[in-house]
C-alpha cells in the first residue's frame, strides 16, 4: 500500500519534506506539489517527475487520487489549510506552529476533533530526534529521579538573519516561531502544563524586528502546574552557528542534549588551534528527525494509529508562546488556566 501525498509549501523546509516523501519515506508517494511561487512548483515537478503541480491549494484538494496533505506553507496559512484539507477528506501533517492567533487555533482544533477518523500530526520533529527520544527514555527509566527543571536554548544562526527579517511579518514572533519547540519539549519532559509565564527581551542587534512587534533575543521563565520550572532563551543572532541545547534536571541527576552543538566528530588542528565546527542550520541538525516524523505520519495512516503529537500539543505550546508575548508587552507575569 502506498500513501499518495500532496505537499504544500516548497520553501526552506517544505522542499526537504517534499524530497523526503519523493525519495526516502517508505510506502509513500509524492503525487502532487503546491506553492504560490510558480517556479518552485515547476522546478520540483519537472526535475523529480511529480504527476501534479498546483499554484492554488484549493485546486490541489480537488485531486481525489491523494490520501494525505503535508503542510509546510507560511505559518499564517496553517489553520485554514488544515481545516480545508480535513474537510476535503484527507489525513493531514502540518508544520509548527499550529497557527498565529488563538482564535484561529481553537477553530482548527475543533475541526481536527471533528475529523477524528483522520490522522493529524503536528511538526514537533524534535520528539523524533534520536537524542531527544533517548533522553526521554532515560528519564522514564528513572535515571535522573523526578524532573524538576528544564533549561532550553534555541539559537538560530545570525547568518540566516535576512531570511528571518523577511519572514518576521508572518512568523508569529520569536516565542511562537522558535521557542514553541522548547515549550513543547518542556510539556513533554515535565509532564505538565504551564501555570505562569514571565518574559523579557528586545531588539538588541536588529531593530528591523520591531517593525513587526518582534524581537531578536528573548527569555522566559515558566512555572508548571506540577511546580516544575522552565528557563528558556531564544535568539536569532547566534554567531557560532545553530545551537539547540536542552537540559532536564531531576532530583537525582540531569540529562543534557546538544550541550556543544558539534557538526560531527571531526576535530581540526591547524594554525587556528584546535577546532570543532558547529551545526549550521535546522536542516542539518534535524535531518533524521524530519524523516522520522513523516515516516511516523505515513505509518499511522497505514496501520490506523494515532500519532503521539496531537492538536492539543499545538494549542498548548502556542498558548505558552502567546503568554510570553503578553508578558513581554506588559511587563507582567501571565497566568494560564
Ligand atoms: P518559506 O517562506 O521558505 O516557505 C513557505 C512556502 O509556502 C513557500 O513555498 C510559499 O510559496 C508557500 N506558501 C505560502 N503561502 C501559500 C499558500 N497560501 N498556498 C500555497 N503555498 C503557499 O518558509 P519555511 O521556512 O519553509 O517555513 C515553512 C513553515 O515551516 C513555517 O510554518 C515554519 O514555522 C515551519 N518551519 C518549521 C521548522 C521546524 O524545525 N519544524 C523549521 C523551519 C520552518
Amino acid at each position: 500500500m502506498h500513501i499518495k501525498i500532496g505537499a504544500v509549501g516548497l520553501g526552506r523546509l517544505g522542499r526537504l519534506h517534499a524530497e523526503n516523501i519523493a525519495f526516502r519515506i517508505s510506502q509513500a508517494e509524492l503525487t502532487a506539489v503546491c506553492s504560490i511561487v510558480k517556479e518552485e512548483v515547476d522546478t520540483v515537478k519537472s526535475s523529480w517527475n511529480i504527476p501534479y503541480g498546483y499554484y492554488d491549494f484549493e485546486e490541489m484538494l480537488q485531486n481525489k487520487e491523494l490520501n494525505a496533505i503535508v503542510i509546510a506553507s507560511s505559518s499564517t496559512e496553517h489553520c485554514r489549510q488544515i481545516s480545508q484539507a480535513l474537510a476535503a477528506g484527507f489525513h493531514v501533517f502540518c508544520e509548527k506552529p499550529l497557527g498565529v492567533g488563538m482564535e484561529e487555533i481553537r477553530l482548527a482544533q475543533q475541526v481536527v476533533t471533528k475529523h477524528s477518523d483522520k490522522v493529524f500530526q503536528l511538526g514537533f520533529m524534535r520528539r523524533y530526534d534520536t537524542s531527544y527520544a533517548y533522553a526521554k527514555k532515560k528519564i522514564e527509566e528513572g535515571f535522573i529521579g523526578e524532573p524538576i527543571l528544564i533549561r532550553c536554548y534555541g539559537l538560530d544562526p545570525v547568518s540566516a538573519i535576512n531570511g528571518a527579517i523577511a519572514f518576521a511579518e508572518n512568523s508569529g514572533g520569536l516565542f511562537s516561531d522558535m521557542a514553541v519547540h522548547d515549550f513543547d519539549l518542556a510539556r513533554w519532559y515535565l509532564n505538565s502544563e504551564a501555570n505562569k509565564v514571565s518574559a523579557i527581551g528586545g531588539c538588541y542587534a536588529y531593530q528591523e524586528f520591531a517593525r513587526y512587534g518582534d524581537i531578536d533575543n528573548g527569555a522566559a521563565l515558566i512555572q508548571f502546574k506540577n511546580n516544575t520550572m522552565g528557563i528558556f532563551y531564544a535568539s536569532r543572532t547566534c554567531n557560532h552557528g545553530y545551537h539547540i541545547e536542552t537540559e532536564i534536571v531531576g532530583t537525582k541527576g540531569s540529562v543534557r542534549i546538544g550541550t556543544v552543538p558539534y557538526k560531527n566528530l571531526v576535530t581540526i588542528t591547524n594554525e587556528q588551534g584546535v577546532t570543532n565546527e558547529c551545526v549550521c542550520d535546522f536542516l542539518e541538525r534535524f535531518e533524521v528527525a524530519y524523516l522520522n516524523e513523516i515516516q511516523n505520519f505515513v505509518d499511522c495512516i497505514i496501520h490506523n494509529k494515532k500519532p503521539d503529537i496531537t492538536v492539543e500539543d499545538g494549542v498548548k505550546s502556542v498558548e505558552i508562546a502567546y503568554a510570553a508575548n503578553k508578558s513581554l508587552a506588559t511587563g507582567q507575569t501571565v497566568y494560564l488556566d
Side-chain angles (χ1 to χ4, degrees):
M1 180 183 187
H2 265 69
I3 302 301
K4 294 189 168 194
I5 296 178
V8 59
L10 296 170
R12 293 182 308 168
L13 182 55
R15 196 185 151 95
L16 176 76
H17 280 320
E19 194 176 338
N20 283 342
I21 296 162
F23 305 111
R24 301 181 194 106
I25 302 290
S26 64
Q27 293 188 280
E29 178 185 312
L30 184 64
T31 307
V33 287
C34 173
S35 167
I36 47 172
V37 179
K38 187 173 178 298
E39 306 84 74
E40 290 179 350
V41 175
D42 296 349
T43 308
V44 165
K45 185 172 177 287
S46 63
S47 46
W48 300 347
N49 247 338
I50 307 304
Y52 302 97
Y54 299 94
Y55 314 126
D56 179 90
F57 182 66
E58 288 176 43
E59 220 177 284
M60 181 163 79
L61 298 183
Q62 310 283 323
N63 185 338
K64 299 304 174 197
E65 267 184 53
L66 300 175
N67 308 113
I69 302 292
V70 167
I71 301 172
S73 54
S74 313
S75 304
T76 48
E77 308 301 304
H78 292 180
C79 286
R80 184 176 52 82
Q81 292 183 340
I82 289 168
S83 301
Q84 289 176 332
L86 286 169
F90 298 112
H91 302 285
V92 175
F93 173 93
C94 183
E95 260 313 321
K96 53 53 66 175
L98 181 56
V100 294
M102 282 321 298
E103 201 179 325
E104 65 163 20
I105 283 173
R106 297 226 163 84
L107 285 174
Q109 181 183 25
Q110 282 172 18
V111 178
V112 173
T113 310
K114 185 173 156 206
H115 295 278
S116 58
D117 57 322
K118 298 292 169 210
V119 172
F120 175 81
Q121 188 179 323
L122 201 72
F124 284 132
M125 79 298 177
R126 289 192 198 170
R127 295 201 200 184
Y128 292 93
D129 172 77
T130 39
S131 298
Y132 278 100
Y134 189 74
K136 175 76 173 169
K137 186 166 162 283
K138 286 290 173 195
I139 293 170
E140 285 177 349
E141 287 172 359
F143 277 73
I144 65 165
E146 282 301 312
I148 56 174
L149 178 143
I150 188 165
R151 176 181 64 83
C152 298
Y153 282 11
L155 317 181
D156 267 4
V158 73
S159 58
I161 198 73
N162 290 335
I165 291 167
F167 195 61
E169 191 173 5
N170 294 328
S171 79
L174 180 100
F175 291 119
S176 181
D177 184 32
M178 292 175 56
V180 75
H181 281 295
D182 295 309
F183 299 148
D184 177 62
L185 287 181
R187 296 176 53 254
W188 190 48
Y189 284 123
L190 299 176
N191 276 319
S192 189
E193 300 299 343
N195 184 25
K196 57 180 179 178
V197 180
S198 291
I200 49 177
C203 293
Y204 297 91
Y206 293 89
Q207 296 307 316
E208 290 90 329
F209 288 100
R211 228 184 289 150
Y212 309 105
D214 202 358
I215 54 179
D216 59 19
N217 281 264
L221 190 64
I222 300 182
Q223 185 190 54
F224 289 80
K225 290 188 173 149
N226 61 1
N227 204 30
T228 55
M229 302 169 273
I231 300 167
F232 303 83
Y233 169 47
S235 169
R236 300 190 189 277
T237 60
C238 181
N239 278 274
H240 57 274
Y242 181 63
H243 187 146
I244 302 298
E245 176 183 352
T246 309
E247 179 179 20
I248 301 104
V249 180
T251 49
K252 293 184 179 161
S254 69
V255 291
R256 290 183 177 195
I257 307 124
T259 298
V260 182
Y262 293 123
K263 184 183 192 69
N264 51 36
L265 297 178
V266 177
T267 301
I268 303 168
T269 60
N270 58 14
E271 72 279 2
Q272 282 161 7
V274 183
T275 45
N276 293 99
E277 290 178 12
C278 182
V279 174
C280 71
D281 61 17
F282 57 88
L283 297 172
E284 182 180 22
R285 169 66 183 85
F286 292 110
E287 182 184 358
V288 175
Y290 291 128
L291 266 174
N292 290 347
E293 65 176 352
I294 300 286
Q295 189 63 64
N296 182 72
F297 174 62
V298 169
D299 292 348
C300 281
I301 298 172
I302 290 173
H303 301 295
N304 203 14
K305 288 188 308 188
K306 289 283 175 207
D308 291 338
I309 302 175
T310 65
V311 70
E312 281 70 34
D313 293 316
V315 175
K316 292 290 181 191
S317 53
V318 176
E319 268 176 4
I320 300 175
Y322 275 67
N325 285 345
K326 190 169 169 190
S327 173
L328 178 73
T330 61
Q332 306 290 312
T333 296
V334 175
Y335 290 79
L336 289 160
D337 297 335

